[in-house]
Amino acid sequence: MASVLIPAAYLAVLVIALLIFGRIYRKREAASRRLEPWFPAHHERDVYVSLLQCNPPAHDGLIKAALVRRAVADVHRIFRLREDKVALSNLLQRGSISDDLWTSFLAAEKELEAEILEVVTEAETFKQGWGNLIFQTAAEIVQNEKLREGMNKVFHSRPQLGKSRLTEQ
C-alpha cells in the first residue's frame, strides 16, 4: 500500500506545482504584453483643439475647416473598423485570435463612437443642424479623394502607354 501512495503523492505534487507555475507564468505574460492602440494618434483632433485654444482666437473658417478634416479622419477610421470587424469576427470564431485583441477592437469602436459624438456636438456649436450634415460632407470628401486617387493613377499610367506605343512604331 505504501508503495502505491508514494508515487501517487509524487505525481500529485508535480501536477499541482506545474499548474501553479503555469498560472503564474500566464499572468506575468499577460501583464507584460500590452496591445498597441488600434489607431495611431489623432492628429486632426489635436490640430482642432490647438486652434480652439489659440490666443488670439483663430478665424471661424479655419476652425470649421479643421473640424471637417477631423470628421474626414473619423470617416476613414469608420471604414477601417467596418472592414476589420468582419475579418476579426471570423478569426475570433475560429479561435485564431485572442480575446484581448477582440477587446482592444471593441474599445477602439467605443472610442470612435465617443469621438463622433464629440464632433457632432462641436459642429452644433457653430451652426444649428450642422451636426447632422458634417459626416455626410466628410463621407463625400472621402469618396472624392478616392476618385481623385484613381484618376491620378490612370493619368500617370496613360503617358507610359502612349510612350510604349510610340517606341513600337
Side-chain angles (χ1 to χ4, degrees):
M1 177 99 160
S3 63
V4 175
L5 289 177
I6 293 175
Y10 177 74
L11 284 175
V13 168
L14 185 65
V15 168
I16 291 171
L18 287 175
L19 288 174
I20 291 171
F21 172 76
R23 181 170 291 186
I24 292 171
Y25 178 77
R26 277 179 277 159
K27 282 184 181 178
R28 284 186 184 171
E29 193 67 27
S32 67
R33 181 183 41 176
R34 301 276 180 199
L35 293 175
E36 62 186 48
W38 201 262
F39 294 113
H42 202 325
H43 177 69
E44 289 81 5
R45 178 178 54 206
D46 297 339
V47 168
Y48 176 75
V49 170
S50 66
L51 284 174
L52 284 178
Q53 296 173 350
C54 272
N55 195 10
H59 188 266
D60 273 352
L62 186 61
I63 294 174
K64 289 177 184 177
L67 185 62
V68 170
R69 289 310 304 171
R70 182 177 171 186
V72 167
D74 290 341
V75 168
H76 282 292
R77 289 176 178 217
I78 290 169
F79 287 154
R80 181 170 170 209
L81 278 180
R82 283 183 185 168
E83 292 171 1
D84 292 349
K85 188 170 192 166
V86 174
L88 283 176
S89 64
N90 287 336
L91 290 173
L92 184 67
Q93 288 173 352
R94 293 181 189 154
S96 300
I97 61 171
S98 68
D99 289 334
D100 294 339
L101 185 62
W102 183 252
T103 305
S104 172
F105 176 77
L106 293 177
E109 268 189 331
K110 295 287 184 195
E111 180 183 329
L112 186 61
E113 287 175 13
E115 169 69 15
I116 289 170
L117 288 175
E118 187 177 334
V119 169
V120 168
T121 55
E122 288 287 330
E124 288 292 327
T125 62
F126 287 111
K127 185 177 179 183
Q128 193 68 21
W130 193 36
N132 298 332
L133 298 175
I134 190 165
F135 279 101
Q136 292 174 1
T137 306
E140 289 176 9
I141 291 172
V142 168
Q143 292 298 89
N144 189 10
E145 287 174 353
K146 286 182 181 179
L147 181 64
R148 184 174 292 144
E149 221 173 83
M151 289 178 63
N152 283 339
K153 285 181 184 177
V154 169
F155 179 73
H156 289 302
S157 66
R158 189 172 184 168
Q160 294 171 352
L161 292 174
K163 288 179 185 177
S164 64
R165 288 183 185 161
L166 290 176
T167 56
E168 289 175 2
Q169 294 177 353

